[in-house]
């Protein structure tokens, strides 16, 4: 890996970018399915709340089952809301096994002196603070904040809990592995900025331009030369 790019750090970044670009269509499809699931749940929410408030026990279960059947909704569809999280798991496991099997001892990259060990960038007395996992988590939280704008609280908590879990799991991990996952989170952040902020703005401008064109079209059509 380092022979191709000349440095393990650059190689890790390039592998992260290649993997993320390859699975980008899967993420976009996952996001579309999640959006469909959220819209459907929002439509059903008033009646679901009413049923849960009015009925109890087996009667509540039967009423909910009947309502879901009338709406052509299966509760297994709720898994769609976790698709993007489920997609991350196999890639995390593969990256973890691969990067922990590669001998990164002694390999350095920028301010990371040893990619085979935790970064220990800040030393406070006898206590070492690993900065990269914290940076990785902050990027993940910002990305999640942008992605979950307008979501229900439970959906937001799901992403924030996952960010905290990755912080705990990777805090003492080799900085090479943390670098890989930090790049993944950075890619996800840029993707969310484009899809959740930039694209809606461009679509609004496009819609306004189209509306303006359609409004002016009849008036322009009447401006020909008189016979």
């Amino acid at each position: 890996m380092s022979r191709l790019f000349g440095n393990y750090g650059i190689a890790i970044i390039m592998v992260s970018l290649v993997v993320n670009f390859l699975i980008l269509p899967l993420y976009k499809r996952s996001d579309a399915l999640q959006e469909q699931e959220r819209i459907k749940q929002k439509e059903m929410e008033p009646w679901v709340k009413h049923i849960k408030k009015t009925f109890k026990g087996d009667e509540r279960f039967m009423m909910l089952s009947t309502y879901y059947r009338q709406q052509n909704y299966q509760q297994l569809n709720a898994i769609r809301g976790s698709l993007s999280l489920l997609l991350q798991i196999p890639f995390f496991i593969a990256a973890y096994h691969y990067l922990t099997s590669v001998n990164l001892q002694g390999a350095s990259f920028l301010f990371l002196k040893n990619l085979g060990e935790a970064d220990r960038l800040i030393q406070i007395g006898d206590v070492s603070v690993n900065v990269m996992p914290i940076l990785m988590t902050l990027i993940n939280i910002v990305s999640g904040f942008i992605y979950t704008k307008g979501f229900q609280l439970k959906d937001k908590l799901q992403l924030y809990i996952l960010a905290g879990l990755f912080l705990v799991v990777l805090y003492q991990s080799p900085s090479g592995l943390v670098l890989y996952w930090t790049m993944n989170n950075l890619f996800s952040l840029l993707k969310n900025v484009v899809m959740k902020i930039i694209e809606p703005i461009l679509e609004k401008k496009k819609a306004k331009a189209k509306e303006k064109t359609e409004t002016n079209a009849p008036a322009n059509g009447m401006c020909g030369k008189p016979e």
Side-chain angles (χ1 to χ4, degrees):
M1 186 166 65
S2 63
R3 291 178 183 177
L4 181 61
F5 298 102
N7 181 276
Y8 272 116
I10 296 175
I12 289 171
I13 291 173
M14 293 305 298
V15 169
S16 173
L17 290 175
V18 169
V19 170
N20 276 285
F21 274 114
L22 287 175
I23 64 175
L24 184 58
L26 291 177
Y27 275 120
K28 294 189 76 171
R29 179 57 180 163
S30 169
D31 288 343
L33 290 173
Q34 285 178 294
E35 185 64 22
Q36 291 176 11
E37 176 64 18
R38 281 189 292 272
I39 292 172
K40 187 64 177 178
Q41 287 188 354
K42 194 170 183 179
E43 290 175 351
M44 298 189 304
E45 186 177 13
W47 272 105
V48 170
K49 283 185 176 180
H50 173 72
I51 291 171
K52 288 182 177 180
K53 184 179 180 180
T54 307
F55 303 96
K56 294 182 180 180
D58 292 340
E59 194 175 12
R60 175 195 287 180
F61 175 78
M62 292 298 296
M63 290 297 293
L64 282 173
S65 299
T66 302
Y67 179 64
Y68 288 147
R69 188 167 58 254
Q70 290 173 344
Q71 296 297 315
N72 295 318
Y73 177 80
Q74 296 181 356
Q75 287 183 284
L76 286 176
N77 290 351
I79 297 176
R80 290 178 178 180
S82 305
L83 277 179
S84 60
L85 303 181
L86 296 175
L87 277 174
Q88 294 184 43
I89 295 175
F91 292 101
F92 172 76
I93 293 173
Y96 184 87
H97 282 292
Y98 179 70
L99 291 175
T100 51
S101 66
V102 174
N103 185 14
L104 297 175
Q105 285 296 333
S108 62
F109 178 67
L110 297 178
F111 50 83
L112 301 174
K113 297 179 180 179
N114 190 345
L115 295 175
E117 297 180 356
D119 61 78
R120 301 187 184 92
L121 288 174
I122 297 178
Q123 193 74 29
I124 304 175
D126 296 331
V127 179
S128 298
V129 178
N130 299 323
V131 176
M132 284 296 293
I134 298 173
L135 176 63
M136 173 198 73
T137 304
L138 290 175
I139 294 173
N140 203 1
I141 290 173
V142 173
S143 177
F145 177 80
I146 294 172
Y147 180 75
T148 59
K149 187 176 181 180
F151 285 19
Q152 294 183 356
L153 180 60
K154 63 177 183 178
D155 296 321
K156 294 182 178 182
L157 286 176
Q158 192 177 45
L159 287 177
Y160 296 147
I161 290 172
L162 185 68
L165 180 62
F166 272 106
L167 174 62
V168 173
V169 171
L170 295 179
Y171 186 76
Q172 294 292 350
S173 296
S175 55
L177 176 61
V178 181
L179 174 63
Y180 173 83
W181 212 249
T182 300
M183 290 305 302
N184 279 12
N185 289 344
L186 187 59
F187 184 92
S188 179
L189 172 60
L190 294 175
K191 174 178 70 72
N192 290 339
V193 168
V194 171
M195 295 178 64
K196 298 292 184 178
I197 298 177
I198 296 178
E199 283 187 358
I201 292 174
L202 293 177
E203 287 176 1
K204 284 182 180 179
K205 287 184 177 180
K206 187 177 179 180
K208 285 183 179 179
K210 185 179 180 181
E211 184 180 351
K212 187 176 180 181
T213 302
E214 291 175 350
T215 303
N216 294 336
N220 292 337
M222 297 177 63
C223 292
K225 292 181 179 180
E227 296 182 0

